[in-house]
Amino acid sequence: AAAGRSFAEQRAFLGAMRARFTDVAADHPYAWFPERATADELATVTPKNRLTAEPYTKRMNAFPNVDQGSALLVTSLAAAREAGLEDQAIFVWSGASTAEVRHPAARPHLGSSPAIAAAARRVFEAAGVGVDDISRFDFYSCFPIAVEAGAEAVGITVDDPRGLTVTGGLPYFGGPGNNYVGHSIATMVELLRETPGLGLCTALGGFITKHAIGIYGTEPPPRGFRAGDTAADQQAIDASAIEVTTQAEGEALVEGATVVPTADGTGVESAPVIARLDDGRRIVAVADPAALPDLAGRCLGGERVQVTGGPPPVYRI
């Protein structure tokens, strides 16, 4: 809704982004699905690529049921030299972590991530570099919004020529839960050994809630490893939470919405929204069952609805 796209238009936009991820996975020796897919193949709803929740299709989302493992060896440079591995050493330049407002409905920004932006700002400051100095990126990619929000927060577009993943991402490379980041760091290390430079990896957990960013380099960091200080940022993020209520009567402006189809894809199972009441509070509401058939493919973002009762509150258009 913030980008001014319909569900169908957003699906096409994301198909192009995700297709570039499959290109990387196709060339990765440990990818779970090492095969290229076109934007149309990822964005078109078919029996094998069902709509999971608007605007996402099945093939755009993470696939955690994999048999994969990763390992990272962290040691001092002295120990690496003693073991004869100095020429393979990759250095951690900086790191930073933050958390979003814990309750998703209480976040001022539903389509972006102030927490990732804060972590990115501090990780660059700590390393003494900027986004233009990074040669490779890997953004946590459970769902497309994680990639979109991450790229925006770091300061690049989703079609940046440097790419957004070194593995192919969670839907195509795979990754067992949050240990995906073990794989993205391991791959980043291997690539930095081949071609000198700086790499950046992001991690997240929850409902895009907890965030961490690390910068890795072929050469030792000039100022040694430094952790970004996000304490003040975290205080500001926590203080930005919007009050959320579980019941209300009156009109509300829809700020976030999705439509979930039935298992067979022939109808609508639910269409929850996150909306702002006229008094400034947020509310999460479910659609009046009678209205569900009319909500297929319809994005309510930016529309006004009538909310009543709760919990759970019900909305009508």
Side-chain angles (χ1 to χ4, degrees):
R5 304 187 191 104
S6 67
F7 281 143
E9 290 168 340
Q10 178 71 358
R11 195 156 40 248
F13 172 80
L14 297 176
M17 181 184 79
R18 286 308 214 194
R20 292 189 288 272
F21 276 60
T22 71
D23 290 339
V24 177
D27 293 329
H28 198 295
Y30 304 114
W32 200 253
F33 297 110
E35 54 193 43
R36 286 177 171 79
T38 67
D40 284 344
E41 288 172 334
L42 298 176
T44 301
V45 178
T46 67
K48 291 186 177 181
N49 190 34
R50 62 184 175 83
L51 192 65
T52 56
E54 288 280 14
Y56 299 161
T57 62
K58 175 183 176 182
R59 295 185 68 185
M60 291 181 179
N61 300 323
F63 186 81
N65 300 323
V66 298
D67 183 10
Q68 294 175 304
S70 65
L72 304 169
L73 180 62
V74 182
T75 185
S76 67
L77 181 57
R81 284 171 174 161
E82 185 177 347
L85 299 174
E86 180 180 1
D87 61 338
Q88 297 184 48
I90 297 299
F91 300 87
V92 188
W93 279 45
S94 64
S97 60
T98 50
E100 213 69 70
V101 169
R102 297 286 172 165
H103 194 314
R107 297 172 187 172
H109 310 280
L110 297 180
S112 60
S113 175
I116 301 178
R121 188 163 55 249
R122 302 312 176 194
V123 83
F124 285 132
E125 287 178 357
V129 300
V131 68
D132 292 339
D133 298 310
I134 304 299
S135 54
R136 296 181 179 84
F137 297 92
D138 193 276
F139 290 94
Y140 198 88
S141 50
C142 49
F143 306 107
I145 181 58
V147 179
E148 290 182 283
E152 177 188 62
V154 168
I156 64 173
T157 61
V158 296
D159 60 353
D160 190 285
R162 290 167 290 185
L164 305 182
T165 181
V166 294
T167 64
L170 281 122
Y172 317 112
F173 171 84
N178 274 23
N179 190 54
Y180 164 78
V181 183
H183 295 275
S184 63
I185 295 173
T187 299
M188 186 68 74
V189 165
E190 292 178 337
L191 293 175
L192 290 173
R193 285 172 177 164
E194 295 173 3
T195 306
L198 293 175
L200 181 149
C201 293
T202 75
L204 63 80
F207 296 97
I208 314 186
T209 305
K210 300 174 290 182
H211 304 283
I213 302 179
I215 293 179
Y216 308 86
T218 310
E219 300 296 326
R223 302 184 295 181
F225 169 78
R226 295 195 177 187
D229 183 0
T230 59
D233 301 297
Q234 192 62 64
Q235 289 181 351
I237 291 169
D238 294 342
S240 71
I242 296 172
E243 182 183 352
V244 178
T245 183
T246 58
Q247 56 185 16
E249 300 288 339
E251 288 193 352
L253 177 68
V254 176
E255 296 182 305
T258 187
V259 177
V260 181
T262 56
D264 61 8
T266 61
V268 175
E269 179 179 298
S270 63
V273 300
I274 298 176
R276 183 80 71 103
L277 296 163
D278 289 343
D279 63 10
R281 294 178 300 165
R282 279 264 182 74
I283 193 164
V284 181
V286 298
D288 181 344
L292 288 176
D294 297 326
L295 294 176
R298 181 176 175 181
C299 180
L300 294 177
E303 295 193 32
R304 295 187 69 81
V305 295
Q306 189 73 30
V307 179
T308 184
V314 173
Y315 73 85
R316 298 175 178 84
I317 302 172

